[in-house]
Amino acid sequence: MMLDAIDHVHVYVEDLPAAAEWYQQRLGFVHDEAFAEWYKQGGPYVIRCGAAALSLFQRSACNPGNTIAFAIQAIKIPALLARLDQSTLDYTVVDHQLTWSVYFYDLSGNPLEVTCNDYAAATPVRVAATQKTVLE
């Protein structure tokens, strides 16, 4: 099982609109409209510049710190879950209705996320992985 890339980094900010503007003016980031509805529902404000993406969170609503989110293809989800199960690592799988994410912590307590943005392809793979776990 190989990760594909760093998908995005969670950034916790004091003033979300000011932070989005700062990243836009200084580094050329723009709002990723694919996640606009997510933000309206209380999710992060996702900005992108080329292949780089940041998920901006209002600091008052979240604990300070950063989460690194790695990208994974849908077909690799069963191998990821099997590896996490073998390690007896606690993890949480979240259906964001737009993406699938697996959350866990590294050895030092740093939060990590492995996410699949191909929701349509990941959903049946995730369901099959869940059924396999239940059957075993």
Side-chain angles (χ1 to χ4, degrees):
M1 190 272 310
M2 299 285 292
L3 297 171
D4 297 313
I6 292 179
D7 186 74
H8 64 278
V9 176
H10 295 202
V11 179
Y12 299 90
V13 299
E14 301 295 330
D15 182 334
L16 201 146
E21 183 177 335
W22 187 93
Y23 279 100
Q24 178 185 6
Q25 290 179 353
R26 284 152 187 89
L27 298 173
F29 278 84
V30 296
H31 184 227
D32 188 335
E33 291 297 326
F35 299 98
E37 190 62 33
W38 211 3
Y39 175 67
K40 291 176 189 174
Q41 297 172 4
Y45 189 80
V46 180
I47 57 175
R48 186 171 300 280
C49 183
L54 300 175
S55 290
L56 302 180
F57 291 87
Q58 188 68 43
R59 185 178 302 260
S60 62
C62 300
N63 293 329
N66 294 311
T67 299
I68 300 172
F70 298 97
I72 193 170
Q73 296 172 25
I75 197 158
K76 297 179 181 179
I77 292 172
L80 169 66
L81 297 177
R83 181 172 282 189
L84 293 175
D85 285 339
Q86 289 173 349
S87 71
T88 67
L89 192 64
D90 290 333
Y91 64 91
T92 304
V93 179
V94 177
D95 177 354
H96 292 295
Q97 304 297 309
L98 190 58
T99 64
W100 277 98
S101 295
V102 181
Y103 295 93
F104 53 98
Y105 295 90
D106 73 8
L107 187 61
S108 299
N110 296 301
L112 301 174
E113 175 184 359
V114 178
T115 191
C116 181
N117 291 310
D118 188 350
Y119 186 78
T123 299
V125 171
R126 174 61 189 128
V127 170
T130 301
Q131 289 171 342
K132 182 179 178 187
T133 303
V134 171
L135 296 174
E136 291 177 351

